[in-house]
Every structure is written in C-alpha cells, then in structure tokens.
Amino acid sequence: MRFRGNTQFASAVGLVLGLLCAVEAAKVNKHKPWIETTYHGIVTENDDKVLLDPPLIALDKDAPLRYAESFEVTLTKEGEICGFRIHGQNVPFEAVVLDKSTGEGVIRAKDKLDCELQKEHTFTIQAYDCGEGPDGANMKKSHKATVHIQVNDINEYSPVFKEKSYKATVIEGKKYDSILKVEAVDADCSFQFSQICNYEIVTPDVPFTIDKDGFIKNTEKLSYGKEHMYKLTVTAYDCGKNRASEDVLVKISVKPTCKPSWQGFNKRIEYEPGTGSLALFPSMHLETCDEPITSIRANIELETNHIGKGCDRDTYSEKSLHKLCGASSGTVELLPTPSSSANWTVGLPTDNGHDSDQVFEFNGTQAIKVPDGMVSTSLKEPFTISVWMRHGPGAHEKETILCNSDKTEMNRHHYSLYVHTCRLILLLRQDPSEAENYKPAEFHWKLDQACDKEWHHYVLNVELPTVSLFVDGTTFEPFLVTEDYPLHSSKIETQLTIGACWQDNSGHDNDTESVSEPTSGGNARMAQFFRGNLAGLMIRSGKLENKKVIDCLYTCKEGLDVQLPEEVASAVKVEFNPNQSSLTVEGDDIDAFDKVMQHISYLNSRQFPTPGIRHLRISTTVKCFNEESCVTVPDAEGYVMVLQPEEPKISLSGIDHFARSAAEFESQEGVTLFPELRIVSTITREVEADTESEATEGAEDDPTVQETVVSEEIMHNLDTCEVTVVGDELDGEHEGLEVDMSQLQQHSLEMSSSNLGLVITGVNTMANYEQVLHLIRYKNWHTEALFDRKFKLVCSELNGRYISNDFKVEVNVIHTANPVEHANNAMVQPNFINPVHHASVDLSGHNLVNAHQASVVPSAATIVIVVCVSFLVFMIILGVFRIRAAHQSTMSDQENGKENEMDWDDSALTITVNPMETYEDQHSSEEEEEEEEESEDGEEEDDITSAESESSEDEEGAEPEDKQGASRQQQLEWDDSTLTY
C-alpha cells in the first residue's frame, strides 16, 4: 500500500491552518468536514489493528466555536475534528480519533477476526464537527466514505487427507505412470496457506515415489513372489510448510500377471456315496483380464472310461439287467459269470479290477464253445444280439465275436458277428428250407467306435430283411448290404462259438467265404480270433429290443447334472451328451455364465458306487471384439474322488442242525432245509463320540467307555443264492433238491440245478429271497443207508461283489425199527424231529454206505436191538437209584422232580435206535457177530444211540460239548466204577 508524500501532508496542514483562521474570523460553522472518498485497509486475523490507505484524516475550514464542547463532534476553537461514525450492520470495526487537532484517526477491530469465516469487510464512515450552539444544531458532517478492509490469513491449520486410507492393486512385472492419487486439503483461507505444496512417502526403502500432486507410481517392476502387498505412510505439506496433522496409510497389492483362467476351482472334490448331487464348482469364476469378451463356450468332461464298461453301472449279470430294463423273457446270456451251472467261461481271462463287473479278455488265442441247446439253431424269427465291446485298431483279418458254423465237414457259417478293419459286420445266411432266391445276407457298418479302444454298447435288432444297429443308444444305418442264396439243406449239426469261429480242417469250404488258416497250437480248429474285451453278450429270441430298453441298458448311474437358475436360464445354453459324461455351456454374459458353472454337479445314483477317481476337464473357448488380441483360456483339470462305500455284511442265520425221520425224506413234500432262515445285511459306521453325549452321560467318568463304531441294518437287493451239497454229489436217481417254481415266477427269479446243487438268480429283495429259500426241499427215496446230509447256502449281491457267510446245514436221518417185529417202536416220539441248534453229536463220519453193507442190516439189527434194549433198561434203573442216593439230602425238590421224570413204565416204553450204531466196551460174553458189526461200522468208543442223541439235542446247541455233558449230568449222574458187566 502506498501513501501520499510529505508534500501533500504539508499542503493539508497549510489548508487546515487557513481554515482555522477563517473560522476564527467568521465565528460561524459554515463548512463540512472533509475526508477521502475511498479507503482500503488490511488487517491480520487474530489482530485488531487495520492499516488504511490513505490514512484516516478529517479536515474542516470552519473556525473553532467557543461553545462547541457540548456537541458530540466538535471542532475546538483551535479547529479540531471531534470524531468519526461507521455505518453498516454488524460491522466488527470502530473508528477512533487519535489526534483531534490534526483530525487523524484509526479503524480497529472490535473482536478477533477469522479469515476462514469472512475474508473481506466493506462499510461507510463519516467525520463530524461540533458546529454552533450547545445543542449541536449547527453540527456539520462529512460525506460518507467507503472503506474496504481485507482480513489477512495466518497459517493456523495443517493439511488433512480426504480419505482415512488408500488402496490399489497392480499387476506384477509392469511399471505404471500412476497407480493412485492421494489428496489432502487445508482449511486456511488464503491461497498461500490453503494450498498443498508437497507430498512425501515417509516409509523408507520402498519402490514407489509421489509427486507434488499426490500421484504415486512404482520405480521398478514389482514381483508377486517378492511381496504380495506394500504398506506406505504418506504425509503432506502446505505452502506455509505445515505438515499434515495425521499421516495416511496406502496399501498397494501386487497381483500375479493376469492370465485368463478359471479361478476358485478345487482340483480334488470328494464324493461320499449316498449323498445325492454334489456341486463341483461352487466358487468358480472366469478371469478374462478385462478383455472385451463377446461369447464363451465351455465343455465340461467327466472321464469315466476306466470305470467298468465306460462308467459306473450296476454290475448285475447281463440277464438280470435286461429284466430290470424290461426285457422280461427270451434272453440267453452267452458270457455268464462262471458258476456250477454255467461253466463254459471258466477258462477265459477276466478283468477283476472293476468291482465284479464281469469283463472277458480275448487276446487272439482264446475262444469258447457255447454248450448245445443254449440258443435255438434257427434264428429266422425276430431276434436281438447285444454286446459290450472294447476293440482297438486291428489287423486286416476278420475278428469274430460270435459265430455259428458247421461242426464237421463243410465249415459253413450260418450266422456270425465280426469286426474287420473298423467295420462291424453281421452275416446271416438264409435257412435251407426257404425259396431259392437272393436275400440280404451280410450287413456292413463303418464305425469309429469299433476301433477306438473304448467301451461301447452294441444292439442289433434283426427282423429280416432289415437290421437296425444301435451303438451307445444311437442308430446307425448300414453302408453296405450284400445278398446271397440260401444254404444247401444239410443234417450237419452246428457249433456256436465266441471269440473265434469253429472250422473243420477235413471239410470242404462250401457255401461260404474263404477263411484264414487255423492257427497252430492248442486251438487248431478255431480261426478268425478276436482281440479285445467282451462282456454281456446276449441273444434274445422272438422279440426285438425297444429304444427304451436299449437306453436303459446303456445309461450310466453316474454323470453330470445342472440346475439352471431362473434368472440365467434364457441367457445360457446347456447341452448334454447321451450318457451325461459331458456337457457344453454357451453364453455371452460372463456373470450368467459363472452362475451356471457354479450349479454344475456330480451325481452317482448307485447304492454302492465304484470307488476311485473320475477326472474332470474344462475346455474353454472365448471370442472377442478384436479377434487378433483375443485371450486364450487354458484347460482346467481336477478330479472327483468317489469314496469307498460302507460295505454291507450279508449274514445268513437259522437252524443249522436238525434231525428228521426217514419217512419225511421219502414223502412227497420232502424236508425243508431252511425253515427259519433269516437274511440280514448290516454296515459299520464310525460316529463321533460327542454325538452320543446323552447315551454316555453316565459313563463320562470312565475313560474306557467310548462308542465310536456302530452297526446299522440296511436293505438292498440280492442277485444270487446258491445251495450246494457238501460231500458226495447228489445222485439224481434217488435224491434231489426242489423249489416251488410258482414262487420263483412270482418274484421273477430263475433256478438252475445240477448234481452239485441249485442256483437261484435274479435281482430281488432280501425278503423275497428269504421267502423262496424257505421253500427249498430235500428229498431222498432210498434212506436205508443214509444217516446225514450237509448243505451250504451262499447269497451275493452285485454279481458277487458282496458275498454272505457260508451257512451250513446238517440234517440227520432218524431210522425207526420195523413196526411188525418191534411193536414198542411203532411210533416215533415227537421230540425226535424237533429242530435243534448245534447238536453235540458228531455225525460227520456217517454217509451213504455201499449196497453190500446195506444188505446185511436186517440180520444184525435184530440182535443189536435186543441187546441194546436190555442194557439200556438196566442202566436207566441203576441210574435212577444212584441219583436218588446222591441228592436226597441237598436237593429234595429237584430229587422229587427227577423221581417223577424217571418213573419209568416199561410196558409203554418205546425205544428208537439206529441199527447201524453200536456201543463199545461190550462185555466178553457178547457174540462175535456183534463185534464184527462194530468194526465194520467204524464207530468211535463213546458213540450213543438215537435216544441219547435226541436227549443231547434238547440241550442248548451253542454250548460246548463239555457244558452239554455237565447239563446232562444234572439229570442223570452215572458212576461207571460200580458197574459190572
């Protein structure tokens, strides 16, 4: 601010002196005081002094009045200015006269000023003189001058950051011009003190720098491996050098180099059997690195080729599976599981690594002959051939799957199914009885599936003149059909073979194509060997398989599934392959696409799934606006681990040892072998100890009481029960096993029998199997030489994957004496035929004897019976007296009961003995014939009679033999030391 010079000041003083002289001369108030029209001032906040430009000075030309002191503004008689008045509302200033003689004054603040509240103030000011008279009527005032005052700021505030903290994310390996900006503000009102002049990173030794505008950037390329996150402390300075009151924290995260990929994908996914659907990718999303994507296509593949025949399916026999799928009759299984009734597959190598899923291996040297009569020799009626096959690229030779050819002489192929250079070919020659004209005879299909080393299901529906082929449920048309004449009439029998074709070296190659030379070695009469794996080879005569049955046979029990959310169902397209091992997802909305992927699940509906790994692969293709810079998403791989299911323990229980009279064995009904059979299946589970807190509350103090394993009964199906005879095979001329066929048909079960026993097959419940097994009867029409028969029962589930215990049953034959010769023995006592458990009598040494031994029984039996009856009566009477003497004093009650028990009436006594059993230690007076018979029968020293055996059977069968002896001793206490013979 500038002021006028001393020259102006001297002029003003001269003027004032002149005016004073004039006033003094006039003695009247004729002139107004004079001040400048505009003043500019500066005041510093928190101070009251205002520096004005120009200075505040009032001038008046009038002479001073003698009586002017009584006025508010007076000019003394020496010519002074009395005061100033400020005009305006709420003006925080006042004007004060410093020197009345010179009219000099100042403006000062009434209170402390705040620049932040108001930077400038404007108001008016007037100067007043006193005028004439004490009442001030002649007082004069100057014009109003405008005063502009600016409040100068002081640096009283420090910078403050706008945010409490700052965050940013960078990608490794990249230098940025700017990562983020921090910003601070200052509350001071002036430009100088309110501006931030500098920012500073306080944290030392970090690869970042910050400029004066607050922009942070990295000074070197960052590495995610070196540091995942940097934490920086940043401060700010205003232009008055005030530092920020609080520093701010800046977090910079380092991300790995962005690579388009699937994120949030667990590579190992555990599946617990019986839990239903399991989401495979619940947290997965696609990282596109901010590339503009126009469409996405992902293929999710579940690899199950190593499980069974391409995926997890029920491992029942193929015949049972056909029944379950609706093919209820007419099916013949040509590759059954080896058993006593179907043993032609015994010599084939099998694949035992797939939980009883029966797979047969053919290596180019093995083949089998199907027994005659299994398949009708004439297949002119509609029929179906179905087979599971795995076959790789082969040689240029024919490889026969199934062949029906002449046994001898002419080597004609009546019908065959074979593979030749990735072609599947069916040969079906016409029956000789038909008319002599051309008809379709050979059907060719080109199939990639025939040589891709993967399992495929083939079904051929033959209804001449057409043949329909289904591969994995999909229809294929033949690319070539050739015709031929019918075969010549012949009475030569045919041979059905699998894995090769039967040929007679001595015969003529008539009416057929040339075949490869028979291989040298063990199978000299086989040709066109198959190399690969076969399973489930079936022929169904009289009816074609419908599409529903074919799909059922092929459908997997495991696969992928997806439940589309409603909000994205229209934005994304999902397609499955036939066996649901693969699905394709297409869409253009990344968020909707991610939601669909998160709802894809794995499901295995088997009660006992095959455990192991199922590999997962996600192949993704994306399209961008700029095709040249479009990203590539790598395949994502993982696997589903199907955990081992709780294996069921199938338990067979019931009466395992009993005796029946010979008459029952010879009756029309026979003897029921399993009258009280019970089939129970249990699994063992591990449970947490705290889940049984209530049950174990009383045992908490006992550290040994901790239940961690529980057994739980479950229900499932059975598919086979086999009854086999233990010991000699069944003699069909006088014994056999029978079952109620109406019950079998009612439960859709089948039965096959042989001299080893019988086998019941078919998938059904354990309760229905119980009901059928209760009805199995054993009959024997010649029981004279039969003393016992032993049988074994075994049941299984899933084609032998789970097998029960061996339940063995022993039945003894009770022989009775001739009622004419022995009136006492005309009736068998009822208690001799009651079923018992674990009889202590060991009859394992008894079995069928030869005819010569049986022929001498009548003569020896009479002598044995007479001697045994006499000896037994004597021993009983002696024993009764011994018991009475031993227990008279201490067991009077029991003695009375025993007396009543042992009060014999010989007149009504009925004794039943086995004429083939003898007693050792006979006295020396016994006849020599008895001794010879004892040696022939081979009885042991302590053999007992049938009566004694029945007595032992009344004891509890589960006790050991010594306990049974002790129990028997309570009833009859013998003392052999006093006996004389």
Side-chain angles (χ1 to χ4, degrees):
M1 184 180 289
R2 296 180 301 170
F3 296 95
R4 290 183 174 88
N6 293 330
T7 302
Q8 292 177 337
F9 183 78
S11 298
V13 172
L15 179 61
V16 172
L17 293 177
L19 289 175
L20 289 175
C21 293
V23 171
E24 183 67 24
K27 301 295 185 181
V28 294
N29 189 14
K30 296 192 302 183
H31 299 284
K32 297 178 181 179
W34 178 89
I35 58 175
E36 297 285 348
T37 57
T38 303
Y39 294 90
H40 293 276
I42 297 175
V43 62
T44 302
E45 64 177 343
N46 299 329
D47 194 4
D48 61 349
K49 293 180 182 180
V50 179
L51 182 62
L52 287 177
D53 180 23
L56 181 60
I57 298 175
L59 301 177
D60 197 329
K61 296 180 179 180
D62 292 322
L65 300 178
R66 294 184 295 272
Y67 46 85
E69 287 85 355
S70 61
F71 289 93
E72 178 180 353
V73 179
T74 63
L75 184 61
T76 63
K77 54 186 177 181
E78 293 84 12
E80 297 178 344
I81 295 298
C82 291
F84 299 93
R85 178 174 293 175
I86 293 175
H87 298 276
Q89 293 182 354
N90 301 321
V91 177
F93 296 95
E94 61 181 1
V96 180
V97 177
L98 296 179
D99 189 346
K100 293 182 181 182
S101 61
T102 61
E104 182 180 0
V106 295
I107 296 176
R108 62 188 181 191
K110 295 178 182 179
D111 297 309
K112 290 183 178 181
L113 299 176
D114 191 346
C115 177
E116 286 72 35
L117 294 178
Q118 189 171 348
K119 292 183 178 181
E120 293 182 351
H121 297 270
T122 301
F123 54 89
T124 60
I125 189 173
Q126 285 180 310
Y128 290 86
D129 63 12
C130 298
E132 291 288 344
D135 56 356
N138 293 325
M139 179 182 62
K140 298 294 184 179
K141 55 184 179 180
S142 70
H143 64 274
K144 292 181 179 180
T146 303
V147 180
H148 299 283
I149 298 178
Q150 178 180 340
V151 182
N152 280 353
D153 186 27
I154 62 174
N155 195 8
E156 59 182 329
Y157 292 101
S158 298
V160 176
F161 286 95
K162 288 186 176 182
E163 303 290 340
K164 292 183 179 180
S165 64
Y166 292 86
K167 296 180 181 179
T169 301
V170 297
I171 298 175
E172 66 173 347
K174 184 177 180 181
K175 288 191 69 174
Y176 290 82
D177 293 333
S178 174
I179 296 175
L180 79 160
K181 180 183 179 181
V182 297
E183 187 175 1
V185 295
D186 195 308
D188 289 312
C189 66
S190 65
F191 178 82
Q192 178 184 5
F193 299 136
S194 64
Q195 293 300 308
I196 307 300
C197 286
N198 188 30
Y199 291 93
E200 182 182 346
I201 297 176
V202 179
T203 306
D205 301 327
V206 290
F208 298 93
T209 185
I210 188 169
D211 62 16
K212 64 182 181 63
D213 295 322
F215 288 99
I216 298 176
K217 65 180 181 179
N218 56 322
T219 58
E220 63 184 41
K221 293 181 180 181
L222 305 178
S223 172
Y224 177 80
K226 182 178 179 180
E227 191 71 45
H228 292 358
M229 177 184 288
Y230 290 90
K231 296 181 180 180
L232 314 177
T233 302
V234 177
T235 191
Y237 294 91
D238 62 19
C239 294
K241 301 301 182 182
N242 267 9
R243 181 174 173 170
S245 56
E246 290 186 6
D247 298 339
V248 71
L249 177 65
V250 178
K251 296 179 180 180
I252 300 178
S253 300
V254 181
K255 287 181 61 177
T257 304
C258 183
K259 297 178 181 179
S261 61
W262 288 104
Q263 303 291 326
F265 172 42
N266 293 328
K267 291 189 176 181
R268 176 186 171 95
I269 306 162
E270 292 188 352
Y271 180 80
E272 184 176 351
T275 56
S277 296
L278 174 66
L280 296 176
F281 322 113
S283 303
M284 190 169 71
H285 67 278
L286 180 62
E287 175 61 61
T288 60
C289 297
D290 299 327
E291 290 289 340
I293 304 298
T294 59
S295 66
I296 314 170
R297 186 178 188 274
N299 182 66
I300 300 90
E301 183 179 1
L302 180 72
E303 296 182 0
T304 59
N305 294 337
H306 61 292
I307 304 295
K309 297 186 288 290
C311 66
D312 209 2
R313 296 181 175 90
D314 284 331
T315 56
Y316 295 119
S317 67
E318 198 67 23
K319 194 170 186 178
S320 296
L321 290 175
H322 274 70
K323 284 190 175 182
L324 290 175
C325 289
S328 58
S329 62
T331 56
V332 178
E333 190 171 6
L334 300 182
L335 284 175
T337 302
S339 64
S340 59
S341 58
N343 57 3
W344 62 89
T345 58
V346 171
L348 283 178
T350 59
D351 184 353
N352 295 319
H354 299 301
D355 294 291
S356 302
D357 193 6
Q358 195 68 65
V359 174
F360 295 93
E361 180 180 356
F362 295 83
N363 62 7
T365 61
Q366 301 104 340
I368 58 172
K369 294 190 293 185
V370 179
D372 295 339
M374 292 297 299
V375 180
S376 173
T377 57
S378 175
L379 288 178
K380 64 181 181 180
E381 56 185 339
F383 67 93
T384 298
I385 299 176
S386 64
V387 65
W388 285 94
M389 181 177 71
R390 179 169 60 187
H391 182 262
H396 294 288
E397 300 177 354
K398 295 180 180 179
E399 298 182 47
T400 301
I401 300 171
L402 177 69
C403 179
N404 187 37
S405 59
D406 292 334
K407 274 189 177 182
T408 58
E409 299 181 15
M410 288 198 295
N411 292 337
R412 297 177 304 174
H413 295 184
H414 293 254
Y415 61 86
S416 67
L417 180 66
Y418 61 93
V419 179
H420 188 206
T421 61
C422 295
R423 299 180 182 183
L424 183 68
I425 303 170
L426 174 67
L427 170 67
L428 183 60
R429 301 296 298 275
Q430 298 180 63
D431 191 280
S433 62
E434 295 183 2
E436 293 286 340
N437 55 358
Y438 276 103
K439 283 190 175 182
E442 201 167 49
F443 301 82
H444 298 246
W445 292 270
K446 285 183 179 179
L447 300 171
D448 294 335
Q449 295 89 334
C451 53
D452 63 359
K453 293 185 179 180
E454 300 292 343
W455 279 107
H456 297 284
H457 186 233
Y458 301 84
V459 177
L460 293 99
N461 277 339
V462 181
E463 189 174 21
L464 293 177
T466 62
V467 177
S468 300
L469 172 66
F470 297 86
V471 181
D472 298 336
T474 303
T475 305
F476 288 83
E477 294 295 331
F479 82 95
L480 175 65
V481 178
T482 61
E483 297 181 342
D484 202 348
Y485 281 109
L487 294 172
H488 297 297
S489 178
S490 172
K491 295 183 180 180
I492 300 174
E493 294 183 354
T494 59
Q495 176 64 59
L496 182 62
T497 56
I498 299 173
C501 210
W502 179 261
Q503 293 195 172
D504 185 2
N505 294 336
S506 63
H508 302 283
D509 205 16
N510 296 334
D511 296 318
T512 185
E513 299 176 335
S514 61
V515 298
S516 60
E517 291 298 326
T519 60
S520 60
N523 292 318
R525 301 184 64 175
M526 291 287 186
Q528 301 174 6
F529 285 96
F530 180 78
R531 295 173 178 85
N533 298 95
L534 297 176
L537 180 57
M538 301 282 295
I539 290 183
R540 186 184 186 193
S541 301
K543 193 172 183 181
L544 302 178
E545 297 287 20
N546 58 46
K547 188 65 167 59
K548 182 178 179 181
V549 173
I550 295 172
D551 290 340
C552 175
L553 292 171
Y554 174 70
T555 301
C556 296
K557 294 293 184 178
E558 65 176 341
L560 300 174
D561 192 16
V562 61
Q563 298 294 330
L564 290 179
E566 294 183 2
E567 63 271 17
V568 300
S570 60
V572 178
K573 179 181 178 182
V574 179
E575 293 181 351
F576 287 89
N577 70 337
N579 62 355
Q580 291 192 304
S581 63
S582 175
L583 65 86
T584 302
V585 184
E586 292 187 62
D588 53 11
D589 187 330
I590 295 180
D591 293 335
F593 200 92
D594 288 343
K595 287 184 178 180
V596 172
M597 295 294 290
Q598 292 167 5
H599 283 77
I600 295 175
S601 60
Y602 169 79
L603 175 64
N604 194 316
S605 60
R606 293 190 65 190
Q607 187 177 10
F608 306 108
T610 303
I613 291 176
R614 279 78 164 159
H615 289 281
L616 276 172
R617 179 179 290 107
I618 304 175
S619 304
T620 310
T621 304
V622 298
K623 293 183 178 180
C624 308
F625 287 105
N626 186 354
E627 293 293 337
E628 295 181 358
S629 62
C630 194
V631 298
T632 300
V633 180
D635 291 351
E637 295 185 356
Y639 61 92
V640 177
M641 171 59 75
V642 178
L643 302 179
Q644 180 74 36
E646 301 289 348
E647 294 194 2
K649 180 181 179 182
I650 306 173
S651 300
L652 309 179
S653 61
I655 301 174
D656 61 357
H657 195 172
F658 58 89
R660 294 291 184 269
S661 66
E664 291 189 47
F665 287 92
E666 298 176 357
S667 65
Q668 185 67 27
E669 292 78 13
V671 174
T672 302
L673 290 181
F674 313 107
E676 298 183 16
L677 175 69
R678 176 162 172 73
I679 306 176
V680 176
S681 183
T682 58
I683 59 174
T684 302
R685 297 183 185 274
E686 293 186 0
V687 297
E688 298 293 337
D690 55 359
T691 59
E692 299 183 358
S693 56
E694 296 182 0
T696 61
E697 184 176 0
E700 289 180 353
D701 297 334
D702 186 0
T704 62
V705 179
Q706 186 177 4
E707 291 286 340
T708 58
V709 177
V710 297
S711 182
E712 178 182 342
E713 183 174 346
I714 63 169
M715 302 300 296
H716 58 78
N717 291 329
L718 298 176
D719 60 357
T720 303
C721 280
E722 184 173 4
V723 181
T724 56
V725 62
V726 178
D728 296 337
E729 297 180 358
L730 294 173
D731 188 345
E733 294 184 359
H734 62 264
E735 63 178 340
L737 294 172
E738 295 182 359
V739 65
D740 191 339
M741 298 304 296
S742 62
Q743 287 291 327
L744 287 176
Q745 295 175 359
Q746 180 180 346
H747 298 302
S748 300
L749 299 175
E750 293 186 359
M751 186 270 292
S752 59
S753 60
S754 67
N755 56 354
L756 299 178
L758 60 84
V759 180
I760 299 175
T761 57
V763 181
N764 218 311
T765 63
M766 293 187 293
N768 288 339
Y769 262 94
E770 269 189 18
Q771 184 178 348
V772 171
L773 292 173
H774 287 167
L775 303 176
I776 294 179
R777 302 180 301 275
Y778 171 66
K779 299 171 68 174
N780 193 305
W781 300 276
H782 301 283
T783 59
E784 294 86 356
L786 180 66
F787 294 96
D788 62 56
R789 218 35 167 137
K790 295 180 181 178
F791 298 92
K792 180 178 71 174
L793 172 65
V794 178
C795 294
S796 63
E797 162 70 335
L798 293 174
N799 206 20
R801 180 177 175 184
Y802 302 116
I803 303 176
S804 71
N805 60 306
D806 292 348
F807 179 63
K808 296 182 179 180
V809 172
E810 180 178 348
V811 281
N812 300 123
V813 182
I814 301 176
H815 294 275
T816 58
N818 193 319
V820 177
E821 297 181 3
H822 306 281
N824 281 354
N825 303 329
M827 183 181 299
V828 178
Q829 296 183 16
N831 62 337
F832 281 91
I833 62 173
N834 287 340
V836 296
H837 299 277
H838 304 286
S840 61
V841 180
D842 183 10
L843 298 177
S844 60
H846 301 279
N847 212 316
L848 294 176
V849 297
N850 58 41
H852 176 73
Q853 291 174 324
S855 63
V856 299
V857 169
S859 60
T862 304
I863 301 174
V864 172
I865 292 173
V866 172
V867 174
C868 289
V869 170
S870 302
F871 178 74
L872 182 61
V873 171
F874 172 74
M875 294 298 291
I876 289 174
I877 296 173
L878 181 60
V880 170
F881 284 106
R882 294 283 297 173
I883 290 172
R884 290 178 178 177
H887 299 280
Q888 183 174 6
S889 59
T890 59
M891 301 175 65
S892 59
D893 294 337
Q894 185 175 356
E895 179 188 24
N896 293 334
K898 291 181 180 291
E899 288 175 358
N900 294 333
E901 268 185 7
M902 307 307 295
D903 191 9
W904 297 93
D905 183 3
D906 294 346
S907 62
L909 181 63
T910 300
I911 303 298
T912 302
V913 297
N914 191 330
M916 301 304 296
E917 292 182 343
T918 60
Y919 296 89
E920 202 177 55
D921 297 330
Q922 297 290 342
H923 54 81
S924 57
S925 62
E926 293 291 346
E927 297 180 5
E928 183 178 354
E929 184 178 356
E930 294 176 353
E931 294 176 353
E932 293 175 355
E933 188 175 59
E934 287 174 11
S935 63
E936 288 176 352
D937 291 340
E939 297 294 336
E940 297 181 358
E941 290 185 358
D942 295 329
D943 282 351
I944 56 177
T945 64
S946 298
E948 290 173 313
S949 175
E950 184 62 19
S951 175
S952 69
E953 289 172 355
D954 290 336
E955 302 297 319
E956 185 175 16
E959 294 181 355
E961 188 174 355
D962 56 346
K963 292 185 179 181
Q964 294 181 355
S967 176
R968 192 181 301 112
Q969 187 176 13
Q970 293 180 0
Q971 298 180 7
L972 296 175
E973 183 176 55
W974 299 91
D975 187 355
D976 296 343
S977 61
T978 60
L979 296 179
T980 58
Y981 300 94

